[in-house]
């Protein structure tokens, strides 16, 4: 049976190293604890994808030496892959290349979207299994992307990209067009890097978001936010 690799691009949730922008608003410890919740929730979304579809989750993590942390956070069925390279483009390309060895397609998702709908993952896998080469891209609200799906590791998709800017998704689509690679876009979703994103999450979990609907339950994040009232913006 064909098996899709679904890799979460993430850093170990350590105080002072995880969610540094969010930490300026809520503190380094709370930010790291919330980051751990995000990873658990994204992993849950991956586990929600039907096994009959063929999938396996991975933690694509950094830095080296934190394997014990990742093992505690992620399901026992997940594999671990150490990030290679300092540039995000190198990290993404290396993960795509390595995970495509032994899998028919790969999805790379960020670890900061705790309500990521599992149906987006299903749609991406199904699209990649159609005949012909293509890229599936999930555009994020900040101009980046929360998911990229591939059947082959095209290095061009990760070059000449101004990472961390609002042009990332658009530039990635441009790179795909330059090499004649078909692109399928998923619905917009969001990641949480700062207090604005945290506010969006709280609104969504409370059922008050008009922009983001149908997301996952985000059980770990929901419990943490309920208990940690001190991080209310």
């Amino acid at each position: 049976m064909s098996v899709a690799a679904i890799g979460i691009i993430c850093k170990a949730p350590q105080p002072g190293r995880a969610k540094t922008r969010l930490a300026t608003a809520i503190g380094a410890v709370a930010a790291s604890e919330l980051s751990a919740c995000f990873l658990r929730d994204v992993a849950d979304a991956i586990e929600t994808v039907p096994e009959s579809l063929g999938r396996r989750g991975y933690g694509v993590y950094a830095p080296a030496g934190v394997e014990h942390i990742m093992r505690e956070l992620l399901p026992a069925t997940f594999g671990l892959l150490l990030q290679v390279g300092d540039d995000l483009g190198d990290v993404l390309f290396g993960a795509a290349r390595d995970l495509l060895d032994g899998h028919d397609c790969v999805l790379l998702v960020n670890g900061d979207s705790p309500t990521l709908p599992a149906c987006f993952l299903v749609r991406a896998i199904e699209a990649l299994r159609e005949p012909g080469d293509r890229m599936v891209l999930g555009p994020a609200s900040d101009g980046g992307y929360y998911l990229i799906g591939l059947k082959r590791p095209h290095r061009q998709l990760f070059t000449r990209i101004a990472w961390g800017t609002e042009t990332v998704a658009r530039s990635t689509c441009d790179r795909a067009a330059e090499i004649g690679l078909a692109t399928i876009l998923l619905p917009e979703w969001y990641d949480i890097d700062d207090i604005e994103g945290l506010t969006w999450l709280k609104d969504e979990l409370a059922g008050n978001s008009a922009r983001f609907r149908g997301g996952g339950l985000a059980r770990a994040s929901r419990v943490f936010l309920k208990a940690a009232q001190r991080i209310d913006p």
Side-chain angles (χ1 to χ4, degrees), residues 9-11 17-28 30-32 34-35 38-39 42 88 109-115 139-147 163-166 168 189-202 212 221 231 233:
I9 306 297
C10 57
K11 292 181 180 179
R17 296 185 178 182
K19 311 306 300 173
T20 53
R21 278 193 285 165
L22 187 59
T24 62
I26 67 174
S32 66
L34 195 53
S35 177
F38 293 170
L39 291 178
V42 175
L88 180 57
V109 300
N110 71 47
D112 303 324
S113 299
T115 60
S141 56
D142 61 1
Y145 54 80
Y146 61 85
L147 177 153
W163 301 107
T165 72
E166 61 185 14
V168 170
W189 207 250
Y190 68 104
D191 50 23
I192 302 160
D193 289 318
D194 52 27
I195 200 66
E196 180 182 33
L198 183 58
T199 300
W200 290 350
L201 173 63
K202 295 174 77 171
F212 303 106
S221 298
I231 69 172

Side-chain angles (χ1 to χ4, degrees), residues 47-152:
E47 292 283 88
T48 302
V49 174
E51 290 188 39
S52 59
L53 195 61
R55 49 82 178 156
R56 187 187 182 196
Y58 290 84
V60 184
Y61 70 97
V66 297
E67 293 78 12
H68 62 292
I69 297 176
M70 304 310 300
R71 284 293 179 202
E72 291 177 359
L73 288 173
L74 299 176
T77 55
F78 272 47
L80 293 180
L81 179 65
L82 180 64
Q83 294 179 16
V84 177
D86 296 324
D87 178 78
L88 180 57
D90 291 336
V91 169
L92 293 172
F93 173 73
R97 177 197 59 211
D98 292 348
L99 291 177
L100 281 169
D101 183 10
H103 300 87
D104 69 313
C105 60
V106 60
L107 307 182
L108 301 177
V109 300
N110 71 47
D112 303 324
S113 299
T115 60
L116 177 66
C119 63
F120 291 2
L121 304 177
V122 172
R123 288 167 63 174
I125 294 171
E126 291 176 341
L128 289 170
R129 286 182 174 155
E130 291 294 323
D133 198 12
R134 59 179 48 82
M135 172 182 75
V136 177
L137 200 71
S141 56
D142 61 1
Y145 54 80
Y146 61 85
L147 177 153
I148 185 168
L150 297 169
K151 302 170 80 167
R152 297 177 184 174

